Amino acid sequence: MDHLFTVDGSSATPVPATALAAEGLLERQHLQEWVIEHPAVLGEAVLVITSEFDRWADTDGVPARDRLDILGLDATGRLVVVELKRGTADRDVHLQAITYAALVSRFDLDTLAQAHRDFLRGRGESLELETCRRRLLEHVDGDWSQELLQRPRQVIIAADFPKQVTHTVVWLSEMNLDIDLVQVGLWKVQDQLVVGFTKLYPTPEVEEFTLAPARVEAKAAAQKLAERSRARNAVHVLVEAGLLPDGTRMRLVPRHGVTESLREAIHAWVGEDGSRAAATWSNGTANQLTWEADGGAYSPTGLANHIFTSVTGRKADGIQGTTWWDVDTSHVPGTVDPDDWAALAGISLARLAKQLSGTGKDWTALHGLLAALPSGRWTTYGDVATAVGSHAVPIGTHLATCGQCPHAWRVLNSEGHVSAGFRWTDPTRTDSPADVLAAEGVSFDTGAADPGARLPVDALKTLLDG
């Protein structure tokens, strides 16, 4: 914005431009706060994660002195690195922004959630770490992608830019590195300061006619990479969470990457041999599915690709195989409560992984909660799972095989019955959990545990916090 006028009818009076330094306005206390309060200047739907971030270290473990001015997250799932200069930008300001982008490209969801929590705490807002994680996940349209985090967008805001910066940024943008140049201007209108932010580069015309062709190609490559990443991440989440016991039956339901006519062709092909639609899950680091049709071990995507090629004779491209396989809930593992297992009907591996994102096999919290369960009270697998941030199925599976789980008999199914998969760690025991609970004072007059003795989720969380 080169010229600003006040208007009185047909008369236009120039407004004198001023500068932040001339008005005693500072980079950190003022310019930075304006951007934090109004992140729209950084682009559409940007959530500010943190500011003044400096918690990284060099290769010798010595904390770096440089501070990242602002770090944001846009709705596509990309990080936004912001560098601020209240005056004319330095000739190497773009190198500084690229350095910060390289550093944050290694951040993951946990790192970002912790940074966001600390940022909010410093501004007087106290949120739990899990709440911050959820805020980040909900801000992103679609699945969380670590690959997209590794491609941060950079925004440099300054009063002016030397030609060395503008020329270099244009070239870097043509090389598919996203850098925006935003000019901040200050004017004094009748003793009132007015600030304006103008995007100098890239303009809409530049984006459409100069950068668009190269970025379309890069976007296609990034999309394919993201699809492959989602498939790998989904399997990793499921294995880590221990949701599916070894031997879980899986059913073929082709969804992602196929047309309706191809889907019908796959169904017809499966109709010739029913074993083609079935596989067995195992919690390994690779090839988690054993296909009943040939006994071979495949990854979910590898098997989906194999089936696609078998039907079409063509090589598959871009299939997310974790969307093709559903839990076959007609086959209930012995360690799982049927009611909990039925809740998985019609859910693909990809959807299960999304529901379970963040859960794992660290049972420290579970064991602590079980140890705190008082005598004469009972709870359910589902409520325990909610309290520790897991799922009822892996909780039931773990309790059925755990030799160090205290008071496991105090966990029942949702109806107050002993789970069919419950096993004592001492195989010589002949009494049942209901017998032990009855001795503790829990009545089973109707065949189910007294609902008045049930501990709700809030009570479990209190025990966990205590």
Side-chain angles (χ1 to χ4, degrees), residues 152-218:
R153 181 167 64 87
Q154 296 144 76
V155 180
I156 305 174
I157 300 178
D160 200 5
F161 298 92
K163 289 183 177 179
Q164 293 92 332
V165 173
T166 56
H167 290 173
T168 304
V169 166
V170 170
W171 179 77
L172 289 171
S173 296
E174 291 172 349
M175 297 298 105
N176 302 323
L177 194 65
D178 281 351
I179 305 181
D180 294 352
L181 299 180
V182 177
Q183 186 174 33
V184 57
L186 194 67
W187 294 266
K188 184 173 287 188
V189 182
Q190 299 177 353
D191 295 327
Q192 176 68 49
L193 292 177
V194 177
V195 65
F197 294 87
T198 305
K199 187 176 181 179
L200 295 184
Y201 184 86
T203 62
E205 293 79 9
V206 168
E207 287 185 306
E208 181 176 359
F209 297 109
T210 305
L211 304 180
R215 285 184 176 171
V216 165
E217 183 178 339

Coordinates of all heavy atoms in Angstrom, one line a residue, residues 152-218:
P152 N 7.1 -27.1 5.7 CA 6.5 -25.9 6.3 C 6.4 -24.8 5.2 O 7.2 -24.7 4.3 CB 7.4 -25.5 7.4 CG 8.2 -26.8 7.7 CD 8.3 -27.5 6.4
R153 N 5.4 -23.9 5.4 CA 5.3 -22.7 4.6 C 5.9 -21.6 5.5 O 5.8 -21.6 6.7 CB 3.8 -22.4 4.4 CG 3.5 -21.2 3.6 CD 2.1 -21.1 3.1 NE 1.1 -21.0 4.2 CZ 0.7 -19.9 4.7 NH1 1.2 -18.7 4.3 NH2 -0.2 -19.9 5.7
Q154 N 6.5 -20.7 4.8 CA 7.2 -19.6 5.5 C 6.6 -18.2 5.1 O 6.3 -18.0 4.0 CB 8.7 -19.6 5.1 CG 9.4 -20.8 5.6 CD 10.5 -21.3 4.6 OE1 11.6 -20.7 4.5 NE2 10.2 -22.3 3.8
V155 N 6.5 -17.4 6.1 CA 5.9 -16.0 5.9 C 6.9 -15.1 6.6 O 7.2 -15.2 7.8 CB 4.5 -15.9 6.6 CG1 4.0 -14.4 6.4 CG2 3.6 -16.9 6.0
I156 N 7.4 -14.1 5.8 CA 8.3 -13.1 6.2 C 7.6 -11.8 6.2 O 7.1 -11.4 5.2 CB 9.6 -13.0 5.4 CG1 10.3 -14.4 5.3 CG2 10.6 -12.0 6.0 CD1 11.5 -14.5 4.4
I157 N 7.5 -11.1 7.4 CA 6.8 -9.9 7.5 C 7.8 -8.8 7.8 O 8.6 -8.9 8.8 CB 5.7 -9.9 8.6 CG1 4.7 -11.0 8.2 CG2 5.0 -8.6 8.7 CD1 3.6 -11.1 9.3
A158 N 7.9 -7.7 7.0 CA 8.8 -6.6 7.2 C 8.3 -5.4 6.6 O 7.3 -5.4 5.8 CB 10.2 -7.0 6.6
A159 N 8.9 -4.2 7.0 CA 8.5 -2.9 6.5 C 8.9 -2.8 5.0 O 8.2 -2.1 4.2 CB 9.0 -1.8 7.3
D160 N 10.0 -3.5 4.7 CA 10.5 -3.4 3.3 C 11.4 -4.6 3.1 O 11.9 -5.2 4.0 CB 11.2 -2.1 3.0 CG 11.2 -1.8 1.5 OD1 10.6 -2.6 0.7 OD2 11.8 -0.8 1.1
F161 N 11.7 -4.9 1.8 CA 12.5 -6.0 1.4 C 13.6 -5.6 0.4 O 13.2 -5.0 -0.6 CB 11.7 -7.2 0.9 CG 10.7 -7.7 1.8 CD1 9.4 -7.3 1.8 CD2 11.0 -8.7 2.7 CE1 8.4 -7.8 2.7 CE2 10.1 -9.3 3.6 CZ 8.8 -8.8 3.6
P162 N 14.8 -5.9 0.7 CA 15.9 -5.6 -0.3 C 15.7 -6.5 -1.6 O 15.1 -7.6 -1.5 CB 17.2 -5.9 0.4 CG 16.8 -6.8 1.5 CD 15.4 -6.5 1.9
K163 N 16.2 -6.1 -2.7 CA 16.1 -6.9 -3.9 C 16.7 -8.3 -3.8 O 16.2 -9.2 -4.4 CB 16.7 -6.1 -5.1 CG 15.9 -4.9 -5.5 CD 16.5 -4.2 -6.7 CE 15.7 -3.0 -7.2 NZ 16.3 -2.3 -8.4
Q164 N 17.8 -8.4 -3.0 CA 18.4 -9.7 -2.9 C 17.3 -10.7 -2.3 O 17.3 -11.9 -2.7 CB 19.6 -9.7 -2.0 CG 20.8 -8.9 -2.5 CD 20.7 -7.4 -2.1 OE1 19.6 -6.9 -1.9 NE2 21.9 -6.8 -2.0
V165 N 16.5 -10.3 -1.4 CA 15.5 -11.1 -0.8 C 14.4 -11.4 -1.8 O 14.0 -12.6 -2.0 CB 14.9 -10.5 0.5 CG1 13.8 -11.3 1.0 CG2 16.0 -10.3 1.6
T166 N 13.8 -10.4 -2.4 CA 12.7 -10.7 -3.3 C 13.1 -11.6 -4.5 O 12.4 -12.5 -4.9 CB 12.2 -9.3 -3.9 OG1 13.2 -8.6 -4.5 CG2 11.6 -8.5 -2.7
H167 N 14.3 -11.3 -5.1 CA 14.8 -12.1 -6.2 C 15.0 -13.6 -5.8 O 14.6 -14.5 -6.5 CB 16.1 -11.6 -6.8 CG 15.9 -10.3 -7.5 ND1 16.9 -9.5 -8.0 CD2 14.7 -9.6 -7.8 CE1 16.4 -8.4 -8.5 NE2 15.1 -8.4 -8.4
T168 N 15.6 -13.8 -4.6 CA 15.9 -15.1 -4.1 C 14.6 -15.9 -3.8 O 14.4 -17.1 -4.1 CB 16.8 -15.1 -2.9 OG1 18.0 -14.4 -3.2 CG2 17.1 -16.5 -2.4
V169 N 13.6 -15.2 -3.2 CA 12.3 -15.8 -2.8 C 11.6 -16.2 -4.1 O 10.9 -17.3 -4.1 CB 11.5 -14.8 -1.9 CG1 10.1 -15.3 -1.8 CG2 12.1 -14.7 -0.5
V170 N 11.6 -15.4 -5.1 CA 10.9 -15.8 -6.4 C 11.5 -17.1 -6.9 O 10.8 -18.0 -7.3 CB 11.1 -14.7 -7.4 CG1 10.6 -15.2 -8.8 CG2 10.2 -13.4 -7.0
W171 N 12.9 -17.2 -6.9 CA 13.5 -18.4 -7.4 C 13.2 -19.6 -6.5 O 12.9 -20.7 -7.0 CB 15.0 -18.2 -7.5 CG 15.8 -19.4 -7.9 CD1 15.9 -19.8 -9.2 CD2 16.5 -20.3 -7.1 NE1 16.6 -21.0 -9.3 CE2 17.0 -21.3 -8.0 CE3 16.7 -20.4 -5.8 CZ2 17.7 -22.4 -7.5 CZ3 17.5 -21.5 -5.3 CH2 18.0 -22.5 -6.2
L172 N 13.2 -19.4 -5.2 CA 12.9 -20.5 -4.3 C 11.5 -21.0 -4.4 O 11.2 -22.2 -4.4 CB 13.2 -20.1 -2.8 CG 14.6 -19.9 -2.4 CD1 14.7 -19.2 -1.0 CD2 15.4 -21.2 -2.4
S173 N 10.6 -20.0 -4.7 CA 9.2 -20.4 -4.9 C 9.0 -21.2 -6.2 O 8.3 -22.2 -6.3 CB 8.3 -19.2 -5.0 OG 8.3 -18.5 -3.8
E174 N 9.8 -20.9 -7.2 CA 9.8 -21.7 -8.5 C 10.3 -23.1 -8.3 O 10.0 -24.0 -9.0 CB 10.5 -20.9 -9.6 CG 9.8 -19.6 -10.0 CD 10.7 -18.8 -10.9 OE1 11.9 -19.1 -11.1 OE2 10.1 -17.9 -11.5
M175 N 11.2 -23.2 -7.2 CA 11.7 -24.5 -6.9 C 10.8 -25.2 -5.9 O 11.3 -26.2 -5.2 CB 13.1 -24.3 -6.3 CG 14.2 -23.8 -7.2 SD 14.4 -24.8 -8.7 CE 13.5 -23.9 -9.9
N176 N 9.6 -24.7 -5.7 CA 8.5 -25.4 -4.9 C 8.7 -25.2 -3.4 O 8.2 -26.0 -2.6 CB 8.4 -26.9 -5.2 CG 8.1 -27.1 -6.7 OD1 7.3 -26.4 -7.3 ND2 8.7 -28.2 -7.2
L177 N 9.5 -24.2 -3.0 CA 9.6 -23.8 -1.6 C 8.6 -22.7 -1.3 O 8.7 -21.6 -2.0 CB 11.0 -23.4 -1.2 CG 11.3 -23.3 0.3 CD1 11.2 -24.7 0.9 CD2 12.7 -22.8 0.4
D178 N 7.6 -22.8 -0.5 CA 6.6 -21.8 -0.3 C 7.1 -20.7 0.7 O 7.2 -21.0 1.9 CB 5.3 -22.5 0.3 CG 4.5 -23.1 -0.8 OD1 4.9 -22.9 -2.0 OD2 3.6 -23.8 -0.5
I179 N 7.3 -19.5 0.2 CA 7.6 -18.4 1.0 C 6.8 -17.2 0.6 O 6.7 -16.8 -0.6 CB 9.1 -18.0 0.9 CG1 10.0 -19.2 1.2 CG2 9.5 -16.8 1.8 CD1 11.5 -18.9 1.0
D180 N 6.1 -16.6 1.6 CA 5.3 -15.4 1.4 C 6.0 -14.2 1.9 O 6.6 -14.2 3.0 CB 3.9 -15.5 2.1 CG 3.1 -16.6 1.5 OD1 3.4 -17.2 0.4 OD2 2.0 -16.9 2.1
L181 N 6.0 -13.1 1.2 CA 6.5 -11.8 1.7 C 5.3 -10.9 2.0 O 4.5 -10.6 1.1 CB 7.4 -11.2 0.6 CG 8.7 -12.0 0.2 CD1 9.5 -11.2 -0.8 CD2 9.5 -12.3 1.4
V182 N 5.3 -10.4 3.2 CA 4.2 -9.5 3.6 C 4.8 -8.2 4.1 O 5.6 -8.3 5.0 CB 3.3 -10.2 4.7 CG1 2.2 -9.2 5.2 CG2 2.7 -11.5 4.2
Q183 N 4.3 -7.1 3.6 CA 4.8 -5.8 4.0 C 3.9 -5.2 5.0 O 2.7 -5.2 4.8 CB 4.9 -4.9 2.7 CG 5.6 -3.5 3.1 CD 5.8 -2.7 1.8 OE1 5.0 -2.8 0.9 NE2 6.9 -1.9 1.8
V184 N 4.5 -4.7 6.1 CA 3.8 -4.0 7.1 C 4.0 -2.5 7.0 O 5.2 -2.1 6.9 CB 4.1 -4.6 8.5 CG1 5.6 -4.4 8.8 CG2 3.3 -3.8 9.6
G185 N 2.9 -1.8 6.9 CA 3.0 -0.3 6.8 C 2.3 0.4 8.0 O 1.4 -0.2 8.6
L186 N 2.8 1.6 8.3 CA 2.2 2.3 9.4 C 2.0 3.7 9.0 O 2.9 4.4 8.4 CB 3.2 2.3 10.6 CG 2.7 2.7 12.0 CD1 1.6 1.7 12.5 CD2 3.8 2.8 13.0
W187 N 0.8 4.2 9.3 CA 0.4 5.6 9.0 C -0.2 6.3 10.2 O -0.7 5.6 11.2 CB -0.6 5.6 7.9 CG -0.1 5.1 6.6 CD1 0.4 5.8 5.5 CD2 -0.1 3.7 6.2 NE1 0.8 5.0 4.5 CE2 0.5 3.7 4.9 CE3 -0.4 2.5 6.7 CZ2 0.7 2.5 4.1 CZ3 -0.3 1.4 6.0 CH2 0.3 1.4 4.7
K188 N -0.1 7.6 10.2 CA -0.7 8.3 11.3 C -1.9 9.1 10.8 O -1.7 10.0 10.0 CB 0.3 9.3 12.0 CG -0.2 10.0 13.2 CD 0.9 10.8 13.9 CE 1.8 9.8 14.6 NZ 2.8 10.6 15.5
V189 N -3.1 8.8 11.2 CA -4.3 9.4 10.8 C -5.0 10.2 11.9 O -5.5 9.5 12.8 CB -5.3 8.4 10.2 CG1 -6.6 9.1 9.7 CG2 -4.7 7.6 9.1
Q190 N -4.8 11.5 11.9 CA -5.4 12.3 13.0 C -5.0 11.8 14.4 O -5.8 11.5 15.2 CB -6.9 12.4 12.9 CG -7.4 13.0 11.6 CD -8.9 12.9 11.4 OE1 -9.6 12.3 12.2 NE2 -9.4 13.6 10.4
D191 N -3.7 11.7 14.5 CA -3.1 11.2 15.8 C -3.4 9.8 16.1 O -3.1 9.3 17.2 CB -3.5 12.1 16.9 CG -3.0 13.5 16.8 OD1 -1.9 13.7 16.2 OD2 -3.6 14.5 17.2
Q192 N -4.0 9.1 15.2 CA -4.3 7.6 15.4 C -3.4 6.8 14.5 O -3.4 7.0 13.3 CB -5.8 7.3 15.1 CG -6.1 5.9 15.2 CD -6.1 5.3 16.6 OE1 -6.6 5.9 17.6 NE2 -5.4 4.2 16.8
L193 N -2.7 5.9 15.0 CA -1.8 5.0 14.2 C -2.7 3.9 13.5 O -3.5 3.3 14.1 CB -0.7 4.4 15.0 CG 0.3 5.3 15.6 CD1 1.3 4.5 16.5 CD2 1.1 6.0 14.4
V194 N -2.4 3.7 12.2 CA -3.1 2.7 11.4 C -2.0 1.8 10.8 O -1.1 2.3 10.2 CB -3.9 3.3 10.3 CG1 -4.6 2.2 9.4 CG2 -5.0 4.2 10.9
V195 N -2.2 0.5 11.0 CA -1.2 -0.5 10.5 C -1.9 -1.3 9.4 O -3.1 -1.6 9.5 CB -0.7 -1.4 11.6 CG1 -1.8 -2.3 12.2 CG2 0.5 -2.3 11.1
G196 N -1.1 -1.6 8.4 CA -1.7 -2.4 7.3 C -0.7 -3.5 6.9 O 0.5 -3.3 7.0
F197 N -1.2 -4.7 6.5 CA -0.4 -5.8 6.0 C -0.8 -6.1 4.6 O -1.9 -6.4 4.2 CB -0.7 -7.0 6.9 CG -0.2 -6.9 8.3 CD1 -1.1 -6.3 9.3 CD2 1.0 -7.3 8.7 CE1 -0.7 -6.2 10.6 CE2 1.4 -7.1 10.0 CZ 0.6 -6.6 11.0
T198 N 0.2 -6.0 3.7 CA 0.0 -6.2 2.3 C 0.9 -7.4 1.8 O 2.1 -7.4 2.0 CB 0.4 -5.0 1.5 OG1 -0.4 -3.8 2.0 CG2 0.1 -5.2 0.0
K199 N 0.3 -8.3 1.1 CA 1.0 -9.5 0.6 C 1.7 -9.1 -0.7 O 1.1 -8.8 -1.7 CB 0.1 -10.7 0.3 CG 0.8 -11.9 0.0 CD -0.1 -13.1 -0.1 CE 0.6 -14.4 -0.5 NZ -0.4 -15.5 -0.6
L200 N 3.0 -9.0 -0.6 CA 3.8 -8.6 -1.8 C 4.1 -9.7 -2.8 O 4.1 -9.6 -4.0 CB 5.2 -8.0 -1.4 CG 5.1 -6.7 -0.6 CD1 6.6 -6.2 -0.4 CD2 4.3 -5.6 -1.4
Y201 N 4.3 -10.9 -2.2 CA 4.6 -12.1 -3.0 C 4.2 -13.3 -2.3 O 4.4 -13.4 -1.0 CB 6.1 -12.1 -3.3 CG 6.5 -13.2 -4.3 CD1 6.4 -13.1 -5.6 CD2 6.9 -14.5 -3.7 CE1 6.7 -14.1 -6.5 CE2 7.2 -15.5 -4.6 CZ 7.1 -15.3 -6.0 OH 7.4 -16.4 -6.8
P202 N 3.7 -14.3 -3.0 CA 3.3 -14.2 -4.4 C 1.9 -13.6 -4.5 O 1.0 -13.9 -3.7 CB 3.3 -15.7 -4.8 CG 2.9 -16.5 -3.5 CD 3.5 -15.7 -2.4
T203 N 1.7 -12.8 -5.5 CA 0.4 -12.3 -5.8 C -0.5 -13.4 -6.4 O 0.1 -14.4 -6.9 CB 0.5 -11.1 -6.8 OG1 1.0 -11.6 -8.0 CG2 1.4 -10.0 -6.2
P204 N -1.8 -13.2 -6.4 CA -2.6 -14.3 -7.1 C -2.3 -14.6 -8.5 O -2.3 -15.7 -9.0 CB -4.0 -13.7 -7.0 CG -4.0 -12.8 -5.8 CD -2.6 -12.2 -5.8
E205 N -1.9 -13.5 -9.2 CA -1.5 -13.7 -10.7 C -0.2 -14.5 -10.8 O -0.1 -15.4 -11.6 CB -1.3 -12.3 -11.3 CG -2.6 -11.5 -11.5 CD -2.9 -10.8 -10.2 OE1 -2.1 -10.8 -9.2 OE2 -4.1 -10.3 -10.1
V206 N 0.8 -14.3 -9.9 CA 2.0 -15.0 -9.9 C 1.7 -16.5 -9.6 O 2.2 -17.4 -10.2 CB 3.0 -14.4 -8.9 CG1 4.2 -15.4 -8.7 CG2 3.5 -13.1 -9.5
E207 N 0.9 -16.7 -8.5 CA 0.6 -18.1 -8.1 C -0.1 -18.8 -9.3 O 0.2 -20.0 -9.5 CB -0.3 -18.0 -6.9 CG 0.4 -17.6 -5.6 CD -0.5 -17.7 -4.4 OE1 -1.6 -17.1 -4.4 OE2 -0.1 -18.4 -3.5
E208 N -1.0 -18.2 -10.0 CA -1.7 -18.9 -11.0 C -0.9 -19.2 -12.3 O -1.0 -20.2 -12.8 CB -3.0 -18.0 -11.4 CG -3.9 -18.7 -12.4 CD -5.1 -17.9 -12.7 OE1 -5.3 -16.8 -12.1 OE2 -5.9 -18.3 -13.6
F209 N -0.1 -18.2 -12.7 CA 0.5 -18.3 -14.0 C 2.0 -18.7 -14.0 O 2.6 -19.2 -14.9 CB 0.4 -17.0 -14.8 CG -1.0 -16.6 -15.1 CD1 -1.7 -15.6 -14.5 CD2 -1.8 -17.4 -16.0 CE1 -3.0 -15.3 -14.8 CE2 -3.1 -17.1 -16.3 CZ -3.7 -16.0 -15.7
T210 N 2.7 -18.4 -12.8 CA 4.1 -18.7 -12.8 C 4.4 -19.9 -11.9 O 5.1 -20.8 -12.3 CB 4.9 -17.5 -12.2 OG1 4.5 -16.3 -13.0 CG2 6.3 -17.7 -12.2
L211 N 3.8 -20.0 -10.7 CA 4.1 -21.1 -9.8 C 3.2 -22.3 -9.9 O 3.5 -23.4 -9.5 CB 4.0 -20.5 -8.4 CG 4.9 -19.3 -8.1 CD1 4.8 -18.9 -6.6 CD2 6.4 -19.6 -8.4
A212 N 1.9 -22.0 -10.4 CA 0.9 -23.1 -10.4 C 1.4 -24.4 -11.1 O 1.2 -25.5 -10.6 CB -0.4 -22.6 -11.1
P213 N 2.0 -24.3 -12.4 CA 2.3 -25.6 -13.0 C 3.3 -26.5 -12.2 O 3.1 -27.7 -12.0 CB 3.0 -25.1 -14.3 CG 2.4 -23.8 -14.6 CD 2.2 -23.2 -13.2
A214 N 4.3 -25.8 -11.6 CA 5.3 -26.6 -10.8 C 4.7 -27.1 -9.6 O 4.9 -28.2 -9.1 CB 6.5 -25.7 -10.5
R215 N 3.8 -26.3 -9.0 CA 3.2 -26.7 -7.7 C 2.2 -27.8 -7.9 O 2.0 -28.6 -7.0 CB 2.6 -25.4 -7.0 CG 3.7 -24.5 -6.4 CD 3.1 -23.4 -5.6 NE 4.2 -22.6 -5.0 CZ 4.0 -21.4 -4.4 NH1 2.8 -20.9 -4.4 NH2 5.0 -20.8 -3.9
V216 N 1.5 -27.8 -9.0 CA 0.6 -28.9 -9.3 C 1.3 -30.2 -9.3 O 0.8 -31.2 -8.7 CB -0.2 -28.6 -10.6 CG1 -0.9 -29.9 -11.0 CG2 -1.2 -27.5 -10.4
E217 N 2.4 -30.2 -9.9 CA 3.2 -31.4 -10.0 C 3.7 -31.8 -8.6 O 3.7 -33.0 -8.2 CB 4.4 -31.2 -10.9 CG 5.3 -32.4 -11.1 CD 6.4 -32.2 -12.1 OE1 6.3 -31.2 -12.9 OE2 7.4 -32.9 -12.0
A218 N 4.2 -30.8 -7.8 CA 4.7 -31.1 -6.5 C 3.5 -31.6 -5.6 O 3.7 -32.4 -4.7 CB 5.3 -29.9 -5.9

